[in-house]
Amino acid sequence: MLLNPAGERVPNPEYEPFVADVTGDQLASLYEDLVVVRRLDIEATALQRQGELALWPPLLGQEAAQVGSARTLRPDDFVFSSYRENAVAYCRGVELPDLLRVWRGTAQSGWNPYEVGMATPSIVIGAQTLHAMGYAVGCLRDGVDSVAVAYFGDGATSEGDVNEAMIFAASFRAPVIFFCQNNQWAISEPVGLQAQRPIAERAPGFGIPSIRVDGNDVLAVMAATRQALERARAGEGPTFIEAVTYRMGPHTTSDDPSRYIDPLQREEWAAKDPLARVEAHLRDTGVLTDELAEAIAGRADEIAARFRKGCVDLADPRPLDVFDHVYAEPHRGIARQRSQYAAYLASIGEAQSEGEQR
Amino acid sequence: MTELTLSKAIGSGLRRALSDDDRVVILGEDIGALGGVFRITDGLQRDFGADRVMDMPLAESGIIGMAVGLAYRGFRPVCEIQFDGFIYPAFDQIVSQVAKLHYRTRGAVRMPLTIRVPYGGGIGAVEHHSESPEAYFTHTSGLRVVTCSTPQDAHTMIRQAIACDDPVLFFEPKRRYWTKGEVDEDADFPMDAARVVVTGTDVTIVTYGPLVATAIDAAAAAADDGVSIEVIDLRSLSPLDLETVEASVRTTGRLVIAHEAQEFGGLGAEIATAITDRCFYHLEAAPARVAGFDVPYPASRLEEHFLPDLDRMLDAVDRVMGRENALTGWSAS
Ligand SMILES: Cc1ncc(C[n+]2csc(CCOP(=O)(O)OP(=O)(O)O)c2C)c(N)n1
């Protein structure tokens, strides 16, 4: 921990040097990110409640873990995530409406991975950790010092793929960071069902050094990620980071946490809110004035308004788009079905131009 | 032209692919010093290095998932699954990731993986070493599924599979690994085009992989009996070259489909339906299937009963010819 829940800097000789260069203004800009991603998350939840999105997986409470790690990456690093890393995607530069395509159902992915250095998220739990490891091995082969980062949850650590990814990464000294957000829950299952010991203790058994970090402390997350990045770029292989945090909201907007969450536990974590402590610290150090706080809140509102507009403006795909991109090269089976369906649509007077368009 | 066994023909195809394109990497269990349990990759690690021909930890999902990451980075991975029965741990990565990433990213991400699978029975192996899991993959959109039956096709098609920008499941009929034949390294043909192996006028036998040789024998035996059989080797199982099958059935009017895989839900059902749809008025009889029984692949002392052989194929020929056959007088009740 570098910043305690009261907003006080705590001495930590090991990790202090990794963030010694972070100025008050830079911390304020991280704070702005935290405020914005929380605002976007709340807006998306509202959009779901209003029927504009089919589903949304809130990240409330996990802002520091995501912003702190994502903001330390270089553009040429590459992220492989699951569905909850919307703040990571925001930090990677994903366009606002692109964050919503999947949840609105207009597409199965929101962005071109190569434009933002972030793969399309994996909903299959843990599958992406192998992709990150493979990408990292590719970086080694290419002789570049880019790093791949795999984000996943505490529940994912039970999946075979995550364990296989750690074995392979250690064997190949792959420049990959395993970034586990331990938000204490896998839908309704507490972390205790997945792990009898702190999750970070597992990695050393695979030959991978690990760090257990306060995931609600943006500076500590940044420091841990920088250490792991440094190690990876220096050819020292993978690092496992367990960011200990808490999912303050439901698993998704379809979930009912009142069935399994003890309100006392939630309150305990509410006192460790990742935004409040940065805010307190910035107030104490005089960086955050009322005017600045207001300006940040105003910017967040403005971004949220654009987010909402981008959502409702998303165009529905056209009927024949269903056949696009199944294969990279022509495929006679798909070609046949596409032309048959185009003829069928034309026969019922629908999407006539659609059928002729290609 | 050189005479090669089917296994050596695949090996020489891999060698060519490795030297033609330095983004090609081979991943698998025991493929390095040993050259694979069937020696297909013999000498490749020695000649191209352990960075290009990589021995993997024993985790099939890991191998395919790692290949996905390499493909994200622009490599063209060729994965070897040691035996058919061990592809299942990798099933999720293949059908949920490899098959769908191009579609999900609307073309932004290419998955030019080749997944080599020695498959099928007839070598007296223990359990999990003789399966024909191709239908699981032909049922998955986004994958191409191919198989070969001659050294020439093996050589050409493995190179085509690797050059293809789509993921390809490359099924190798392991009991034909030792079949010899001439190989022309420069030969080319569309990977998804079926091949008419024997021409005939009375019955079309459609098959692929290990049973092509059996069908050729059946054609020879039937000729002695005055029945002219056309044999089609599909080569590609997804997509299917239905046009070639259709053209044949339009002239013969009779169709037999043969595969080692279990009958229920297998490719035979797909082909019979598609051809019935296209050739209903040309058919003289309902299409007949000759396939593995709907049981797990049995112990090797029983495999000769499980595997479609020459006689079962000829029996199906009798069925579509309306001749006396094993099922004459049989009723389901
Ligand atoms: C392979 C697989 N099994 C089950 C699910 C259904 N599922 C979605 S999220 C989830 C819990 C995941 O928990 P965790 O890994 O801790 O991540 P979190 O959602 O808490 O971020 C489950 C079981 C899935 N998506 N994938």
Side-chain angles (χ1 to χ4, degrees):
Chain A
M1 194 189 287
L2 291 171
L3 200 56
N4 71 17
E8 296 150 358
R9 284 296 290 259
V10 252
N12 185 326
E14 194 186 348
Y15 285 99
E16 199 70 60
F18 286 102
V19 287
D21 62 316
V22 178
T23 63
D25 283 352
Q26 284 168 343
L27 190 57
S29 133
L30 282 172
Y31 173 69
E32 174 167 335
D33 282 335
L34 297 174
V35 170
V36 168
V37 298
R38 175 166 292 185
R39 183 71 187 81
L40 290 176
D41 195 58
I42 290 167
E43 193 66 32
T45 303
L47 283 164
Q48 194 281 332
R49 296 294 181 232
Q50 292 156 2
E52 298 292 349
L53 300 176
L55 188 75
W56 179 253
L59 59 88
L60 191 70
Q62 300 180 222
E63 296 87 352
Q66 295 194 18
V67 169
S69 54
R71 280 293 180 218
T72 61
L73 305 179
R74 288 195 323 222
D76 63 320
D77 295 328
F78 211 91
V79 169
F80 291 84
S81 78
S82 76
Y83 44 79
R84 204 183 298 287
E85 283 74 32
N86 290 298
V88 175
Y90 172 79
C91 293
R92 294 304 278 167
V94 169
E95 300 285 340
L96 293 175
D98 287 349
L99 287 167
L100 297 174
R101 286 182 197 277
V102 169
W103 311 107
R104 190 166 169 85
T106 63
Q108 290 186 324
S109 66
W111 55 85
N112 180 330
Y114 297 112
E115 283 168 8
V116 292
M118 178 163 175
T120 197
S122 167
I123 287 189
V124 180
I125 298 295
Q128 75 279 12
T129 56
L130 285 168
H131 309 165
M133 175 278 299
Y135 189 93
V137 172
C139 292
L140 280 184
R141 298 283 178 271
D142 284 341
V144 297
D145 69 349
S146 305
V147 175
V149 186
Y151 285 89
F152 52 95
D154 42 296
T157 61
S158 296
E159 290 281 356
D161 279 0
V162 177
N163 292 271
E164 293 183 23
M166 288 201 271
I167 292 166
F168 282 50
S171 298
F172 298 116
R173 277 181 101 73
V176 59
I177 298 175
F178 295 103
F179 194 97
C180 175
Q181 289 175 82
N182 175 0
N183 66 6
Q184 315 299 322
W185 294 98
I187 310 187
S188 67
E189 299 186 347
V191 64
L193 195 59
Q194 321 290 341
Q196 308 312 307
R197 308 273 310 150
I199 294 173
E201 284 185 19
R202 233 179 256 180
F206 290 99
I208 299 176
S210 66
I211 310 169
R212 193 162 208 250
V213 65
D214 181 343
N216 285 13
D217 175 350
V218 75
L219 277 182
V221 171
M222 191 166 236
T225 312
R226 282 183 170 175
Q227 185 186 42
L229 284 169
E230 223 166 72
R231 216 177 254 167
R233 296 201 210 284
E236 289 165 27
T239 301
F240 188 102
I241 297 174
E242 178 189 357
V244 182
T245 179
Y246 195 77
R247 196 194 76 207
M248 298 296 293
H251 170 74
T252 66
T253 43
S254 302
D255 179 32
D256 176 8
S258 72
R259 285 171 174 250
Y260 58 87
I261 282 185
D262 174 359
L264 285 178
Q265 186 194 41
R266 197 186 175 282
E267 260 173 51
E268 222 174 88
W269 279 91
K272 304 184 209 167
D273 187 274
L275 271 69
R277 65 176 79 181
V278 185
E279 183 172 335
H281 180 74
L282 290 171
R283 291 269 185 201
D284 287 351
T285 50
V287 179
L288 191 69
T289 57
D290 283 348
E291 296 88 85
L292 183 56
E294 224 167 88
I296 289 175
R299 269 202 289 282
D301 282 341
E302 185 260 326
I303 294 172
R306 276 198 282 129
F307 192 49
R308 163 172 293 271
K309 172 146 175 34
C311 175
V312 296
D313 285 351
L314 281 173
D316 277 351
R318 296 157 305 176
L320 291 182
D321 289 353
V322 76
F323 297 104
D324 285 351
H325 306 302
V326 182
Y327 294 89
E329 297 183 15
H331 183 280
R332 52 171 98 216
I334 300 285
R336 187 163 55 236
Q337 282 192 351
R338 160 186 259 282
S339 59
Q340 283 171 352
Y341 192 59
Y344 169 77
L345 287 179
S347 80
I348 57 171
E350 202 176 296
Q352 175 76 35
S353 59
E354 208 28 82
E356 286 164 354
Q357 175 179 304
R358 290 154 206 268
Chain B
M1 297 272 264
T2 15
E3 169 143 295
L4 293 176
T5 59
L6 190 145
S7 62
K8 289 262 186 277
I10 296 171
S12 77
L14 292 172
R15 178 173 289 278
R16 268 294 289 272
L18 282 165
S19 46
D20 287 354
D21 182 350
D22 62 10
R23 302 306 280 177
V24 171
V25 289
I26 305 189
L27 294 67
E29 298 163 6
D30 303 301
I31 64 167
L34 182 65
V37 292
F38 291 104
R39 310 292 183 270
I40 309 277
T41 54
D42 196 20
L44 295 181
Q45 190 181 66
R46 182 193 62 222
D47 297 342
F48 293 92
D51 274 4
R52 309 252 342 255
V53 181
M54 303 163 72
D55 267 328
M56 288 289 120
L58 298 193
E60 287 71 19
S61 189
I63 292 170
I64 304 299
M66 173 167 170
V68 169
L70 285 164
Y72 251 107
R73 209 169 152 94
F75 287 87
R76 304 186 87 85
V78 183
C79 304
E80 175 173 308
I81 297 293
Q82 202 157 62
F83 282 95
D84 37 60
F86 308 129
I87 198 168
Y88 308 116
F91 194 70
D92 166 60
Q93 285 289 342
I94 297 172
V95 304
S96 303
Q97 308 296 332
V98 174
K100 298 198 173 101
L101 273 163
H102 189 264
Y103 191 67
R104 285 168 58 210
T105 60
R106 282 166 289 152
V109 178
R110 294 256 154 124
M111 283 291 130
L113 269 72
T114 302
I115 302 173
R116 294 181 38 236
V117 193
Y119 83 119
I123 61 163
V126 296
E127 58 173 354
H128 310 295
H129 290 72
S130 302
E131 307 194 355
S132 298
E134 60 271 20
Y136 295 116
F137 302 102
T138 57
H139 193 62
T140 299
S141 309
L143 300 175
R144 290 176 191 270
V145 182
V146 304
T147 180
C148 53
S149 67
T150 66
Q152 178 68 64
D153 282 7
H155 178 87
T156 306
M157 290 175 73
I158 190 66
R159 287 172 56 195
Q160 291 171 332
I162 296 169
C164 180
D165 270 347
D166 289 314
V168 181
L169 270 288
F170 189 84
F171 281 99
E172 302 171 2
K174 67 171 94 75
R175 70 167 138 144
R176 306 296 181 197
Y177 270 153
W178 301 278
T179 303
K180 284 192 171 163
E182 292 290 321
V183 173
D184 172 4
E185 288 220 352
D186 301 319
D188 201 17
F189 50 82
M191 185 172 69
D192 69 356
R195 179 174 69 108
V196 179
V197 185
V198 177
T199 53
T201 52
D202 296 329
V203 177
T204 302
I205 298 184
V206 171
T207 188
Y208 54 88
L211 290 187
V212 173
T214 313
I216 293 170
D217 291 346
D224 293 343
D225 228 9
V227 178
S228 169
I229 288 184
E230 181 144 303
V231 177
I232 295 178
D233 175 358
L234 286 172
R235 284 181 173 142
S236 172
L237 310 182
S238 176
L240 282 168
D241 177 2
L242 290 168
E243 289 69 26
T244 297
V245 182
E246 178 182 352
S248 174
V249 172
R250 276 174 186 266
T251 58
T252 62
R254 297 180 182 85
L255 174 64
V256 170
I257 308 141
H259 54 64
E260 283 190 26
Q262 281 79 354
E263 182 173 273
F264 190 89
L267 273 174
E270 179 61 40
I271 295 164
T273 309
I275 293 303
T276 303
D277 187 31
R278 288 162 179 244
C279 305
F280 190 69
Y281 294 105
H282 296 268
L283 283 168
E284 307 282 346
R289 288 177 287 167
V290 195
F293 301 119
D294 296 323
V295 302
Y297 197 89
S300 61
R301 297 291 175 101
L302 280 169
E303 70 180 344
E304 65 175 295
H305 295 288
F306 176 90
L307 292 171
D309 62 2
L310 177 64
D311 290 330
R312 273 168 65 194
M313 257 189 222
L314 290 172
D315 190 67
V317 169
D318 285 341
R319 234 177 294 155
V320 296
M321 290 293 289
R323 296 175 165 194
E324 191 72 14
N325 66 83
L327 296 181
T328 302
W330 179 86
S331 91
S333 53

